[in-house]
Protein backbone atom coordinates (compact mmCIF):
# COMPACT_ATOMS: atom_id res chain seq x y z
CA UNK A 1 0.00 0.00 0.00
CA UNK A 2 1.53 3.29 -1.05
CA UNK A 3 1.45 6.61 0.78
CA UNK A 4 -1.47 8.08 -1.13
CA UNK A 5 -3.63 5.01 -0.46
CA UNK A 6 -2.78 4.87 3.23
CA UNK A 7 -3.04 8.56 4.14
CA UNK A 8 -6.87 8.87 4.07
CA UNK A 9 -7.13 5.83 6.34
CA UNK A 10 -5.17 7.52 9.13
CA UNK A 11 -6.70 9.69 11.87
CA UNK A 12 -3.65 11.77 12.85
CA UNK A 13 -4.20 12.29 16.55
CA UNK A 14 -3.38 14.67 19.39
CA UNK A 15 -5.32 14.03 22.60
CA UNK A 16 -2.91 14.32 25.51
CA UNK A 17 -3.86 16.27 28.63
CA UNK A 18 -1.36 19.01 27.80
CA UNK A 19 -2.54 19.52 24.22
CA UNK A 20 -2.37 23.21 23.33
CA UNK A 21 -4.01 25.06 20.43
CA UNK A 22 -0.59 25.19 18.75
CA UNK A 23 -0.30 21.39 19.07
CA UNK A 24 -3.67 21.09 17.34
CA UNK A 25 -2.59 23.44 14.54
CA UNK A 26 0.56 21.36 13.99
CA UNK A 27 -1.46 18.17 13.64
CA UNK A 28 -3.88 19.90 11.28
CA UNK A 29 -1.01 21.22 9.16
CA UNK A 30 0.46 17.72 8.92
CA UNK A 31 -2.91 16.14 8.17
CA UNK A 32 -3.55 18.68 5.43
CA UNK A 33 -0.09 18.25 3.92
CA UNK A 34 -0.20 14.44 3.85
CA UNK A 35 -3.91 13.91 3.18
CA UNK A 36 -4.80 12.43 6.57
CA UNK A 37 -7.78 13.02 8.81
CA UNK A 38 -7.28 14.54 12.26
CA UNK A 39 -8.53 13.49 15.69
CA UNK A 40 -8.42 16.33 18.20
CA UNK A 41 -9.87 17.32 21.60
CA UNK A 42 -13.45 18.62 21.67
CA UNK A 43 -12.43 22.11 22.81
CA UNK A 44 -10.42 22.56 19.60
CA UNK A 45 -13.05 21.52 17.04
CA UNK A 46 -14.29 25.04 16.33
CA UNK A 47 -10.69 26.26 16.02
CA UNK A 48 -9.88 23.38 13.68
CA UNK A 49 -12.92 23.93 11.48
CA UNK A 50 -11.82 27.49 10.85
CA UNK A 51 -8.10 26.74 10.59
CA UNK A 52 -8.23 23.65 8.34
CA UNK A 53 -11.66 23.45 6.69
CA UNK A 54 -10.58 20.76 4.23
CA UNK A 55 -9.38 18.28 6.88
CA UNK A 56 -11.85 15.63 8.03
CA UNK A 57 -12.18 16.11 11.80
CA UNK A 58 -12.87 13.49 14.41
CA UNK A 59 -13.16 14.30 18.09
CA UNK A 60 -13.63 12.27 21.25
CA UNK A 61 -16.62 11.99 23.57
CA UNK A 62 -16.56 10.80 27.17
CA UNK A 63 -12.79 10.64 26.87
CA UNK A 64 -10.70 8.95 28.14
CA UNK A 65 -12.55 6.82 30.72
CA UNK A 66 -16.11 6.72 29.38
CA UNK A 67 -17.70 7.29 32.78
CA UNK A 68 -19.56 10.50 31.99
CA UNK A 69 -23.31 10.46 32.50
CA UNK A 70 -25.19 9.51 29.32
CA UNK A 71 -26.77 12.96 29.07
CA UNK A 72 -23.33 14.55 29.29
CA UNK A 73 -22.03 12.37 26.47
CA UNK A 74 -25.00 13.24 24.29
CA UNK A 75 -24.62 16.96 25.02
CA UNK A 76 -20.89 16.81 24.35
CA UNK A 77 -21.48 14.98 21.06
CA UNK A 78 -24.09 17.44 19.85
CA UNK A 79 -21.86 20.38 20.73
CA UNK A 80 -18.92 18.83 18.86
CA UNK A 81 -21.06 18.25 15.77
CA UNK A 82 -22.39 21.80 15.90
CA UNK A 83 -18.81 23.08 16.18
CA UNK A 84 -17.93 21.24 12.97
CA UNK A 85 -16.80 17.71 13.85
CA UNK A 86 -17.24 15.20 11.03
CA UNK A 87 -16.99 12.09 13.23
CA UNK A 88 -17.26 11.25 16.94
CA UNK A 89 -15.22 8.64 18.84
CA UNK A 90 -17.10 7.82 22.07
CA UNK A 91 -15.72 5.75 24.94
CA UNK A 92 -18.05 3.15 26.42
CA UNK A 93 -18.51 2.87 30.17
CA UNK A 94 -16.24 -0.12 30.79
CA UNK A 95 -17.37 -0.43 34.41
CA UNK A 96 -21.01 -0.85 33.41
CA UNK A 97 -20.03 -3.37 30.75
CA UNK A 98 -18.09 -5.41 33.31
CA UNK A 99 -21.11 -5.21 35.64
CA UNK A 100 -23.26 -6.82 32.94
CA UNK A 101 -25.28 -3.67 32.26
CA UNK A 102 -25.30 -4.19 28.51
CA UNK A 103 -28.72 -2.57 28.07
CA UNK A 104 -27.39 0.63 29.65
CA UNK A 105 -24.38 0.61 27.32
CA UNK A 106 -26.66 0.13 24.31
CA UNK A 107 -29.10 2.85 25.42
CA UNK A 108 -26.31 5.36 25.98
CA UNK A 109 -24.86 4.72 22.54
CA UNK A 110 -28.29 4.82 20.89
CA UNK A 111 -28.96 8.25 22.38
CA UNK A 112 -25.73 9.67 20.99
CA UNK A 113 -26.10 8.08 17.56
CA UNK A 114 -29.67 9.38 17.30
CA UNK A 115 -28.64 12.89 18.38
CA UNK A 116 -26.12 13.57 15.61
CA UNK A 117 -26.13 13.10 11.81
CA UNK A 118 -22.45 12.13 11.65
CA UNK A 119 -20.68 8.77 12.12
CA UNK A 120 -20.12 7.58 15.67
CA UNK A 121 -17.18 5.27 16.38
CA UNK A 122 -17.35 3.32 19.65
CA UNK A 123 -14.13 2.95 21.63
CA UNK A 124 -14.44 -0.33 23.53
CA UNK A 125 -11.05 -0.10 25.32
CA UNK A 126 -10.11 -3.66 24.38
CA UNK A 127 -6.98 -3.88 26.59
CA UNK A 128 -9.27 -3.85 29.64
CA UNK A 129 -11.71 -6.48 28.37
CA UNK A 130 -11.95 -10.23 28.01
CA UNK A 131 -12.82 -11.58 24.58
CA UNK A 132 -16.38 -12.22 25.76
CA UNK A 133 -16.66 -8.61 26.95
CA UNK A 134 -15.24 -7.33 23.66
CA UNK A 135 -17.97 -9.23 21.81
CA UNK A 136 -20.67 -7.82 24.08
CA UNK A 137 -19.33 -4.29 23.59
CA UNK A 138 -19.35 -4.76 19.83
CA UNK A 139 -22.87 -6.16 19.94
CA UNK A 140 -24.02 -3.05 21.80
CA UNK A 141 -22.38 -0.87 19.15
CA UNK A 142 -24.12 -2.78 16.37
CA UNK A 143 -27.49 -2.54 18.15
CA UNK A 144 -27.01 1.22 18.54
CA UNK A 145 -26.29 1.62 14.81
CA UNK A 146 -22.75 2.89 15.36
CA UNK A 147 -20.55 3.30 12.30
CA UNK A 148 -17.38 1.68 13.61
CA UNK A 149 -15.74 0.18 16.67
CA UNK A 150 -12.33 1.36 17.87
CA UNK A 151 -9.84 -0.71 19.79
CA UNK A 152 -8.54 1.67 22.44
CA UNK A 153 -8.06 5.20 23.71
CA UNK A 154 -4.31 4.78 24.08
CA UNK A 155 -4.62 5.72 27.75
CA UNK A 156 -4.96 2.16 29.10
CA UNK A 157 -1.98 -0.19 29.16
CA UNK A 158 -1.86 -1.86 25.77
CA UNK A 159 -3.27 -0.88 22.42
CA UNK A 160 -4.41 -2.40 19.17
CA UNK A 161 -3.64 -6.06 18.52
CA UNK A 162 -4.15 -8.28 15.50
CA UNK A 163 -6.39 -10.60 17.52
CA UNK A 164 -8.62 -7.75 18.67
CA UNK A 165 -8.97 -6.35 15.17
CA UNK A 166 -9.91 -9.76 13.81
CA UNK A 167 -12.48 -10.28 16.58
CA UNK A 168 -14.03 -6.83 16.28
CA UNK A 169 -14.19 -6.85 12.49
CA UNK A 170 -16.78 -9.64 12.70
CA UNK A 171 -19.19 -6.96 13.97
CA UNK A 172 -18.41 -3.57 12.42
CA UNK A 173 -15.62 -1.75 10.57
CA UNK A 174 -12.68 -1.29 12.93
CA UNK A 175 -10.49 1.66 13.78
CA UNK A 176 -7.24 0.27 15.17
CA UNK A 177 -5.76 2.66 17.70
CA UNK A 178 -3.11 2.46 20.38
CA UNK A 179 0.57 1.68 19.92
CA UNK A 180 0.67 1.78 16.13
CA UNK A 181 4.05 3.33 15.47
CA UNK A 182 5.20 2.33 12.01
CA UNK A 183 4.11 1.68 8.46
CA UNK A 184 4.51 -2.05 9.08
CA UNK A 185 2.28 -1.86 12.17
CA UNK A 186 -0.40 0.01 10.24
CA UNK A 187 -0.37 -2.41 7.31
CA UNK A 188 -0.59 -5.38 9.69
CA UNK A 189 -3.72 -3.88 11.26
CA UNK A 190 -5.29 -3.22 7.87
CA UNK A 191 -4.51 -6.74 6.71
CA UNK A 192 -6.17 -8.06 9.88
CA UNK A 193 -9.37 -6.24 8.94
CA UNK A 194 -9.07 -2.67 10.20
CA UNK A 195 -10.41 0.06 7.95
CA UNK A 196 -8.99 3.05 9.84
CA UNK A 197 -5.83 3.72 11.84
CA UNK A 198 -5.64 6.08 14.79
CA UNK A 199 -2.11 7.24 15.58
CA UNK A 200 -0.29 10.21 17.04
CA UNK A 201 2.60 9.66 14.64
CA UNK A 202 0.80 9.55 11.33
CA UNK A 203 3.63 11.38 9.62
CA UNK A 204 6.17 8.73 10.67
CA UNK A 205 3.85 5.99 9.45
CA UNK A 206 3.47 7.64 6.05
CA UNK A 207 7.18 8.44 5.75
CA UNK A 208 7.77 4.70 5.99
CA UNK A 209 5.32 3.95 3.17
CA UNK A 210 6.33 3.60 -0.48
CA UNK A 211 5.48 6.65 -2.53
Amino acid sequence: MDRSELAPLIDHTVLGPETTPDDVRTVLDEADEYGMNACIPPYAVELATEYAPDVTLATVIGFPHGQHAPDAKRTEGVAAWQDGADELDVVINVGRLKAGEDDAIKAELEELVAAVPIPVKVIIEAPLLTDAEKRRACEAAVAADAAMVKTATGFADGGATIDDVELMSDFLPVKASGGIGSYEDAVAMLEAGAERIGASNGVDILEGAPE
Side-chain angles (χ1 to χ4, degrees):
M1 177 175 289
D2 66 28
R3 189 175 299 177
S4 64
E5 294 171 317
L6 180 57
L9 306 181
I10 295 176
D11 289 358
H12 191 37
T13 302
V14 60
L15 293 171
E18 296 178 324
T19 298
T20 66
D22 281 346
D23 294 331
V24 172
R25 292 185 188 96
T26 296
V27 161
L28 293 168
D29 287 340
E30 292 169 344
D32 190 41
E33 177 182 354
Y34 283 84
M36 297 180 285
N37 316 306
C39 187
I40 60 173
Y43 88 84
V45 171
E46 189 171 11
L47 174 160
T49 302
E50 296 173 357
Y51 183 78
D54 295 330
V55 174
T56 297
L57 295 175
T59 194
V60 287
I61 304 300
F63 196 86
H65 299 306
Q67 295 178 331
H68 299 52
D71 286 351
K73 286 183 176 176
R74 184 180 66 250
T75 299
E76 187 178 20
V78 170
W81 161 59
Q82 291 175 338
D83 283 345
D86 299 300
E87 300 175 350
L88 305 179
D89 292 14
V90 58
V91 189
I92 67 162
N93 188 321
V94 171
R96 299 193 84 170
L97 181 76
K98 285 187 171 291
E101 298 181 11
D102 296 27
D103 287 345
I105 299 294
K106 173 175 169 282
E108 175 182 288
L109 295 175
E110 282 179 332
E111 287 185 17
L112 178 58
V113 170
V116 295
I118 56 177
V120 174
K121 306 194 285 291
V122 177
I123 307 173
I124 73 166
E125 202 66 294
L128 302 181
L129 305 179
T130 66
D131 283 354
E133 290 166 341
K134 293 167 196 173
R135 292 186 180 94
R136 286 169 41 219
C138 290
E139 287 167 355
V142 170
D145 202 25
M148 302 183 82
V149 282
K150 177 177 170 180
T151 53
T153 61
F155 282 75
D157 289 338
T161 68
I162 297 297
D163 287 345
D164 286 342
V165 171
E166 290 176 345
L167 181 155
M168 294 165 63
S169 64
D170 286 340
F171 296 89
L172 283 170
V174 175
K175 176 178 172 179
S177 183
I180 302 170
S182 69
Y183 170 72
E184 290 76 17
D185 291 342
V187 169
M189 294 298 166
L190 294 169
E191 289 178 345
E195 298 188 19
R196 191 83 64 86
I197 301 294
S200 59
N201 51 354
V203 171
D204 292 339
I205 291 170
L206 289 177
E207 287 293 336
E211 295 189 31

